[in-house]
Amino acid sequence: MKYLTKEVKIGIAGIIALCILVYGINYLKGIHLFKPSNYFYVKFENINGLTKSSPVFADGFRVGIVRNLYYDYASPGNVVAEIDVEPSLRIPKGSSAELATEMLGGVKMNLLLANNPRERYQTGDTIPGNLNNGIMENVTNLMPQLERMLPKLDSILASLNTVLADPSIPATLHNVQDLTASMAGTSRQLEKMMNNDIPQLTEKLNVIGDNFASISGDLKEIDYVAAMQKVDSTLANVKMITDKLNRKDNTIGLLFNDPTLYNNLSATTANAASLLEDLKSHPKRYVHFSLFGKKDK
C-alpha cells in the first residue's frame, strides 16, 4: 500500500505509544480510563494539602480516588474535590466526607456513610466535607497550654539547677549509697539467718510441740476424779488429826494442850541442868574411890 509509508508507520507507532503512556500514567494514579466512573463532588473550606490521586476510603477500605481539585471562585473560601468511586458503592443521603491528617503528614479522605436505606446521592451530587486533623489538631490545641507552662518550666529548671549545685547533694547521695550497702548487708544476714537459724528454731519448736503433745496425752490419761477423791480423803484425815490435836479427850491432845505437862517438863529440865552443874562442881559427893577402905565421913 502506497499510503503506509515509513513516516506514517512511525507516526501511528508514536500515537499508540503516547496513548499507552497516558493510560499507564493514569493507571498508576489509580484512574482507569476504560472503567465506568461514579463521580461526586465534595466541598471543603480547607483541603489541608489534599492532592490529586489521593485515596478515598469508606470504613477503612479504599473505594476510589480524588480525580481533580477546583477552587470555587464564585464562593471564595471553598475548595471542591471531584472524587471517583466504585460504581457499586451506594452513598446514602446524610453521609459526609472528612479529611484526616496521617502521622507522616499525608492526607486521606474518609467517607462517613450514613444509615439511610431509602435515599442516596446520585452521580454528580455534592457531598459536605469537613477537616479532621486528628493528632495534629490535639497538638495544636495543646500549644497554648504549653506556652503558658513554659515560664513555670523555666522556673522549675532554675530551682532544680540551684538544688543540684548545692554541695550537700553529693554527700547525701554518698550517704544513700552507704545506706543501700548496709541494707544489702542486712539483707544477706537476714537471708543467712532464714536459711540456717530459722530451720533449727523450727526443729526445736517441733520437738517442743511433740513434748507438749506427749504431756497432753499423759494428762489426758489421768483419772482426775479418783485423784480428787484421794485428795479429799487425805484432807479429811488431816482435818480429823488436827481436830484431835486440839481436843483434850485423848493422849495426844493432852500432850499438846495440857500446860501442866509443859511445866513439869520445864521443871525436870531445870532440875537436870542443876544436877549436872552440881555434879561438875562436887563430883566427890557422888563418886567415891578408896584403895584402903576409908570410911565415909
Side-chain angles (χ1 to χ4, degrees):
M1 298 178 64
K2 61 179 180 180
Y3 296 106
L4 293 176
T5 61
K6 185 178 180 179
E7 291 78 5
V8 173
K9 292 180 180 179
I10 293 173
I12 294 173
I15 293 172
I16 294 173
L18 181 61
C19 292
I20 293 174
L21 179 62
V22 171
Y23 179 80
I25 293 174
N26 285 278
Y27 181 80
L28 293 175
K29 291 181 178 180
I31 300 174
H32 304 285
L33 296 177
F34 303 106
K35 186 176 181 180
S37 62
N38 187 24
Y39 67 93
F40 298 90
Y41 298 100
V42 184
K43 185 177 289 188
F44 297 97
E45 293 182 357
N46 185 354
I47 60 173
N48 200 24
L50 182 69
T51 60
K52 294 181 182 180
S53 302
S54 296
V56 178
F57 295 88
D59 298 328
F61 184 80
R62 180 170 176 169
V63 295
I65 62 169
V66 177
R67 182 180 290 273
N68 209 343
L69 295 170
Y70 308 97
Y71 186 79
D72 191 355
Y73 293 97
S75 178
N78 292 304
V79 180
V80 179
E82 180 184 351
I83 62 174
D84 186 3
V85 298
E86 297 288 342
S88 57
L89 178 65
R90 180 181 180 276
I91 302 179
K93 285 289 185 70
S95 301
S96 63
E98 71 171 11
L99 298 180
T101 303
E102 296 180 325
M103 199 68 180
L104 298 178
V107 180
K108 67 178 181 180
M109 184 184 298
N110 292 321
L111 293 177
L112 306 179
L113 302 179
N115 186 14
N116 187 357
R118 296 183 179 181
E119 298 178 315
R120 67 175 181 176
Y121 286 108
Q122 301 298 325
T123 301
D125 287 347
T126 300
I127 301 173
N130 55 77
L131 182 63
N132 181 10
N133 289 325
I135 297 177
M136 296 303 297
E137 184 176 2
N138 295 332
V139 172
T140 303
N141 295 332
L142 287 175
M143 287 303 296
Q145 301 179 11
L146 292 176
E147 291 177 356
R148 290 194 297 269
M149 291 176 61
L150 285 177
K152 297 181 179 179
L153 290 176
D154 291 338
S155 176
I156 292 173
L157 290 176
S159 301
L160 184 59
N161 289 331
T162 302
V163 172
L164 292 177
D166 191 346
S168 61
I169 296 297
T172 303
L173 294 177
H174 183 70
N175 292 334
V176 171
Q177 185 178 4
D178 294 341
L179 178 61
T180 303
S182 300
M183 292 180 65
T186 304
S187 178
R188 288 193 295 269
Q189 293 178 0
L190 181 60
E191 183 179 2
K192 181 179 179 181
M193 183 181 69
M194 293 294 293
N195 293 331
N196 298 329
D197 297 339
I198 295 299
Q200 296 178 3
L201 179 60
T202 304
E203 184 178 358
K204 292 180 180 179
L205 290 175
N206 291 333
V207 173
I208 294 173
D210 295 339
N211 293 336
F212 273 116
S214 177
I215 293 172
S216 176
D218 295 339
L219 292 176
K220 185 177 179 181
E221 294 177 357
I222 294 176
D223 189 355
Y224 294 99
V225 176
M228 292 305 296
Q229 289 178 351
K230 292 180 179 179
V231 171
D232 291 340
S233 176
T234 302
L235 291 176
N237 293 332
V238 171
K239 186 176 182 302
M240 181 180 67
I241 293 171
T242 304
D243 292 339
K244 289 185 176 181
L245 289 176
N246 292 327
R247 284 159 42 187
K248 297 181 180 181
D249 57 353
N250 56 78
T251 304
I252 296 176
L254 289 174
L255 289 175
F256 280 98
N257 296 296
D258 190 0
T260 304
L261 176 61
Y262 173 77
N263 294 330
N264 293 334
L265 289 174
S266 297
T268 301
T269 303
N271 292 331
S274 177
L275 179 61
L276 288 174
E277 290 293 332
D278 187 65
L279 178 62
K280 290 178 180 180
S281 301
H282 306 92
K284 294 182 179 181
R285 293 181 181 178
Y286 304 95
V287 181
H288 300 278
F289 294 97
S290 178
L291 295 177
F292 302 101
K294 186 179 179 179
K295 293 182 181 180
D296 295 333
K297 293 182 179 182

